[in-house]
Amino acid sequence: MTPDAIRSLFDAQHRASRAQPDVPVAVRRERLLRLRTLLQEHAPAIAAAVQADFGMRSPRLTEVADFFLLRTQMAQTLRRLERWCRPQRVGTPLYLRPARAWLQRQPLGVVGIISPWNYPVQLALAPAIGAIAAGNRVLLKPSELTPHTSAKLADLVAKAFAPDEFCVLQGGPEVAAQVAALPLDHLVFTGSTAVGRKVALAAAANLTPTTLELGGKSPAIIDADCDLKDAALKLAHGKLLNAGQTCIAPDYLFVPKGSEATFADHYRAAVAQLFPYFAGNPDYASIITPRHLARLRDLLQEAQGMGATVHEMTAAPGTPEPPQQTLGDGIARQMPPALVLGATGQMRLMQEEIFGPLLPVIPYEALDDVVRHINAHPRPLSLYWFGNRAAVRDEVLARTVSGGVTVNDTLLHIAHENLPFGGIGDSGWGAYHGERGFLRFSHEKPVLVQSRWGAGKMLYPPYGARFDRVMGLLRRLM
Ligand code: NAD
């Protein structure tokens, strides 16, 4: 797509948004229903495109992690749309009565969305649902690393929407950079922290407000009083969903000193329960590209070379041979999970977001050490705590700051429709989902309507005794 073509699509959306700043609820609902139909009718074809992009990625994984979340968001949005669009009355202080006031929720105009490859449907369309519900036009630039999915979305959206309502721009970083440099009314970027910085700088030139959904190292903590077996299963699930290529995957784990070996046994059993084998297992996703796989292998090798012990998981005995027919080199990119004991801060494994099926396990003696470590590093997108002692849980919640938290499980806070989802600091800013998403893409315009009985004129010049009397009265009323 040429820079001129991108600019002219933006111009068309911008013109349309300025020509119709007030988008009736019925128009928004009809657009959402079109998107819902698109998803309902084409979910299998979209899931097949995702699978083609990954090599190995179960359509059932796409069903639970992409479509299910979109369906729940869509259902909630359609249910609440009317209420969310209504002006919100606010109380008026005594000194301004009998004026009335409300917040009028209006569309921002044109919302840009730049999305990543790991959940290529959900992370492209969840912000779009929020933006469309709020009455905006949407320009979406999905990831170049999932070209089949991006092309499918572009095709389906072009058939269901006018280009000045919603359109998909395909292309690589250069197209994304151009989108980030457009004078959008809002830009949602989901991706790495490094690219997020560039996006924030580009958007700042136009004073475009941004929502940055970034990555980072999300810690998990196991308390001394904890069902280790249950925690190991939930951590294995959270870590290995999509082979660890999940922004909110538990990145590394703190366990009480002395329990590393027991945890490792439980983790190995949990992995065997979820994925009895890896190569050729349709439930276990491929690493997205050979380059990403090579990076993960490097992390592991470096850690090993620097003294860490790597427990690579192997297929259970008697598991089937990998099927002959492969989807590209997908099977070659199904990286076996590994636990890493003895990882240190000098290793890249403990410096970079892992984004793969490797779990460093760090023993701790005192909770203070865990909290100090977390607070000495960039604020994480998520934090997970496992245990039975509410007082310890509350201490961790109070003493750490993260984008979100799930206690005694992993990932689930993203699926709660009434919890805003987003990061803080290096893991991003701004949150969406549910009503928070609707508000993120709306302008809440404060409106005050003066009453004919309003006494404001009593404070007009010329200042004198009347002014002093009224001001004295107001001061006593405060
Ligand atoms: P990425 O930052 O490499 O790419 C994301 C998008 O940015 C792509 O569409 C890409 O084309 C675009 N892009 C590249 N250069 C750009 C530029 N100069 N200006 C504007 N856009 C540009 O990220 P990725 O590898 O696709 O995704 C993995 C990362 O995303 C991980 O760090 C992960 O934690 C994070 N992530 C965060 C969330 C979240 O909700 N917080 C969700 C998923 C992934």
Side-chain angles (χ1 to χ4, degrees):
M1 194 153 226
T2 64
D4 284 349
I6 294 171
R7 181 69 209 204
S8 79
L9 272 169
F10 167 76
D11 286 342
Q13 293 208 346
H14 191 265
R15 268 195 310 276
S17 74
R18 269 44 181 184
Q20 192 191 23
D22 180 26
V23 182
V25 183
V27 173
R28 305 180 191 204
R29 180 180 296 283
E30 190 274 330
R31 287 179 185 156
L32 288 169
L33 290 174
R34 257 187 281 158
L35 187 53
R36 189 177 71 173
T37 306
L38 178 161
L39 285 169
Q40 273 165 353
E41 288 180 358
H42 300 281
I46 300 172
V50 176
Q51 189 164 16
D53 285 326
F54 273 76
M56 278 292 199
R57 169 143 153 167
S58 168
R60 289 185 175 122
L61 168 56
T62 302
E63 170 60 35
V64 67
D66 287 82
F67 292 122
F68 180 75
L69 292 186
L70 290 173
R71 281 200 196 97
T72 56
Q73 187 194 354
M74 180 67 87
Q76 186 208 28
T77 305
L78 288 168
R79 219 172 39 244
R80 304 259 172 88
L81 187 64
E82 188 115 23
R83 194 183 321 159
W84 290 349
C85 290
R86 265 183 227 145
Q88 310 288 310
R89 279 290 287 270
V90 297
T92 297
L94 205 54
Y95 58 85
L96 286 175
R97 286 190 206 160
R100 288 172 299 131
W102 63 81
L103 293 168
Q104 188 152 340
R105 296 173 165 187
Q106 291 192 298
L108 296 174
V110 183
V111 172
I113 299 171
I114 300 177
S115 58
W117 51 265
N118 60 331
Y119 293 97
V121 194
Q122 195 244 122
L123 295 168
L125 296 185
I129 292 175
I132 290 171
N136 299 286
R137 318 263 156 180
V138 174
L139 273 181
L140 164 66
K141 208 303 278 174
S143 174
E144 63 281 4
L145 296 185
T146 47
H148 295 90
T149 312
S150 300
K152 192 83 210 159
L153 290 177
D155 178 47
L156 294 172
V157 167
K159 285 180 179 140
F161 291 88
D164 66 2
E165 288 177 319
F166 180 11
C167 72
V168 178
L169 308 172
Q170 297 181 78
E174 55 314 319
V175 171
Q178 205 200 329
V179 171
L182 291 169
L184 296 154
D185 296 298
H186 193 95
L187 174 58
V188 187
F189 170 80
T190 307
S192 58
T193 301
V195 177
R197 279 182 213 285
K198 294 187 195 170
V199 168
L201 281 169
N206 294 310
L207 298 179
T208 295
T210 53
T211 297
L212 299 181
E213 301 284 348
L214 310 179
K217 292 183 83 62
S218 297
I221 307 161
I222 286 186
D223 185 39
D225 179 2
C226 173
D227 178 346
L228 263 190
K229 187 176 171 201
D230 183 64
L233 179 64
K234 289 167 173 169
L235 282 159
H237 176 253
K239 184 68 174 181
L240 300 181
L241 190 83
N242 206 23
Q245 301 165 108
T246 302
C247 55
I248 50 171
D251 187 274
Y252 61 102
L253 171 68
F254 290 105
V255 296
K257 199 174 177 117
S259 62
E260 302 95 301
T262 319
F263 175 78
D265 289 344
H266 286 307
Y267 191 76
R268 192 180 290 281
V271 173
Q273 179 186 331
L274 299 171
F275 305 103
Y277 61 106
F278 312 108
N281 184 338
D283 293 345
Y284 190 63
S286 306
I287 301 302
I288 188 75
T289 70
R291 175 171 61 86
H292 289 75
L293 178 65
R295 179 188 151 266
L296 288 165
R297 288 201 174 126
D298 281 355
L299 292 185
L300 212 51
Q301 244 171 25
E302 188 210 55
Q304 218 161 8
M306 291 173 80
T309 309
V310 172
H311 294 255
E312 191 167 293
M313 310 287 145
T314 48
T319 50
E321 281 294 306
Q324 289 309 302
Q325 102 287 356
T326 63
L327 289 157
D329 62 346
I331 289 183
R333 284 184 281 108
Q334 285 178 303
M335 184 183 202
L339 270 186
V340 183
L341 302 184
T344 67
Q346 281 69 49
M347 302 171 184
R348 277 169 59 213
L349 191 72
M350 285 304 293
Q351 295 166 354
E352 299 173 11
E353 179 181 8
I354 296 173
F355 225 56
L358 319 174
L359 182 64
V361 178
I362 318 288
Y364 73 93
E365 283 184 72
L367 184 63
D368 275 352
D369 298 334
V370 172
V371 168
R372 205 173 303 119
H373 176 99
I374 293 170
N375 288 339
H377 288 82
R379 288 182 161 161
L381 184 57
S382 300
L383 181 144
Y384 302 106
W385 184 84
F386 290 85
N388 300 313
R389 299 184 295 177
V392 183
R393 174 200 69 200
D394 292 346
E395 191 183 339
V396 171
L397 290 177
R399 293 178 64 196
T400 60
V401 181
S402 57
V405 173
T406 293
V407 169
N408 285 327
D409 214 323
T410 58
L411 315 180
L412 291 181
H413 59 284
I414 197 177
H416 193 305
E417 62 183 22
N418 294 324
L419 290 179
F421 177 74
I424 177 164
D426 281 27
S427 57
W429 60 53
Y432 70 116
H433 286 190
E435 189 171 13
R436 292 298 183 95
F438 180 89
L439 290 176
R440 192 83 194 146
F441 306 124
S442 300
H443 172 52
E444 283 201 288
K445 184 164 70 180
V447 179
L448 182 141
V449 179
Q450 179 60 293
S451 153
R452 69 163 62 173
W453 310 111
K457 281 183 238 163
M458 295 170 111
L459 292 175
Y460 289 179
Y463 301 127
R466 184 194 61 195
F467 177 93
D468 293 342
R469 256 197 328 276
V470 175
M471 210 56 213
L473 183 68
L474 285 178
R475 260 194 246 112
R476 281 201 296 282
L477 286 176
M478 289 303 138

